[in-house]
Amino acid sequence: MNKYSLYEIIDNTFSLIYTKIAYPSFRLLRRPAYIRGGTSIEGGYGLTTGRFCRFDLPGGKKKTLHIGKNCQFGDNTHIVALKSVHIGENVLIASKVFISDTSHGSYTENGGSDPVIAPSKRKLISHPVKIGDNVWIGENVVVLSGVEIGKGCVIGANSVVTKNIEEGSIACGIPARVIKRWSHDKRKWIPTENTD
């Protein structure tokens, strides 16, 4: 059982008071936290975060970050939701995870991101990100724009998710690839044939 120091008890008490004033649907937003454009958050009932979480949102009336019920985000979770990041229910996100629906320019053939233009001056390109219910995202994972992670997936630590991961999969690596799938018939994780 975890025991909190006196400092942690005091700090969590201040965080709880701040949470109930600023984001009453959240369970606990641990301080310090950086939320730009907090009016763009939708949902978040029962959300618990670690310290130093950062949400970069446009603000205003448009809801660009949807957080399902009873999610838990670890320390230093960073989410950029310019247009649409949808996080399902009961999602567990470890520390130092980066999720973004946005990039500075497009880097496909004829993408128009001229290298003589400073990256910060390139057009922002946004594609929706969707993370299904009951997903577990490990430490240091990066989820890039346009990605959908299906329900019940596990994303291994230090992975970079560049393409969709189908429901009931374990994926890891750079770029992340599926190494196991859940078998409903056998009630266990089955390794994929393409593992090394």
Side-chain angles (χ1 to χ4, degrees):
M1 181 173 168
N2 290 337
K3 292 189 177 184
Y4 291 110
S5 69
L6 179 60
Y7 170 78
E8 290 171 315
I9 292 169
I10 293 168
D11 190 51
N12 281 338
T13 300
F14 281 114
S15 292
L16 182 61
I17 292 167
Y18 169 75
T19 302
K20 294 309 169 188
I21 292 169
Y23 299 96
S25 66
F26 291 9
R27 182 174 174 266
L28 179 62
L29 179 66
R30 287 190 175 88
R31 299 174 316 114
Y34 176 76
I35 301 178
R36 182 189 324 185
T39 57
S40 294
I41 298 173
E42 176 180 61
Y45 179 80
L47 174 67
T48 301
T49 74
R51 298 174 45 138
F52 301 103
C53 286
R54 176 178 170 181
F55 301 155
D56 289 309
L57 314 169
K61 293 181 180 179
K62 185 176 180 188
K63 305 299 183 187
T64 62
L65 174 59
H66 173 85
I67 303 170
K69 294 179 183 175
N70 303 316
C71 293
Q72 297 178 51
F73 299 171
D75 295 340
N76 295 291
T77 296
H78 182 185
I79 299 173
V80 177
L82 181 64
K83 298 263 175 97
S84 178
V85 172
H86 186 282
I87 299 172
E89 296 184 359
N90 306 307
V91 172
L92 178 62
I93 298 176
S95 297
K96 298 183 266 312
V97 170
F98 177 64
I99 300 167
S100 179
D101 70 347
T102 305
S103 66
H104 289 270
S106 175
Y107 299 90
T108 59
E109 188 175 340
N110 299 321
S113 296
D114 192 328
V116 300
I117 299 171
S120 63
K121 303 293 184 191
R122 295 175 193 167
K123 181 180 178 183
L124 291 176
I125 306 295
S126 184
H127 299 286
V129 171
K130 185 173 182 183
I131 298 170
D133 297 342
N134 304 319
V135 169
W136 174 20
I137 299 177
E139 192 98 356
N140 294 312
V141 167
V142 174
V143 178
L144 296 179
S145 70
V147 165
E148 184 170 338
I149 299 174
K151 294 179 182 179
C153 286
V154 177
I155 308 299
N158 301 307
S159 297
V160 178
V161 185
T162 61
K163 62 183 180 180
N164 295 349
I165 306 294
E166 66 185 58
E167 180 177 325
S169 299
I170 296 176
C172 62
I174 302 173
R177 63 186 179 89
V178 174
I179 61 166
K180 291 185 179 181
R181 290 189 176 88
W182 177 254
S183 169
H184 291 283
D185 295 335
K186 297 179 181 177
R187 305 293 301 158
K188 66 178 185 177
W189 293 98
I190 305 295
T192 59
E193 294 180 14
N194 64 352
T195 57
D196 296 330

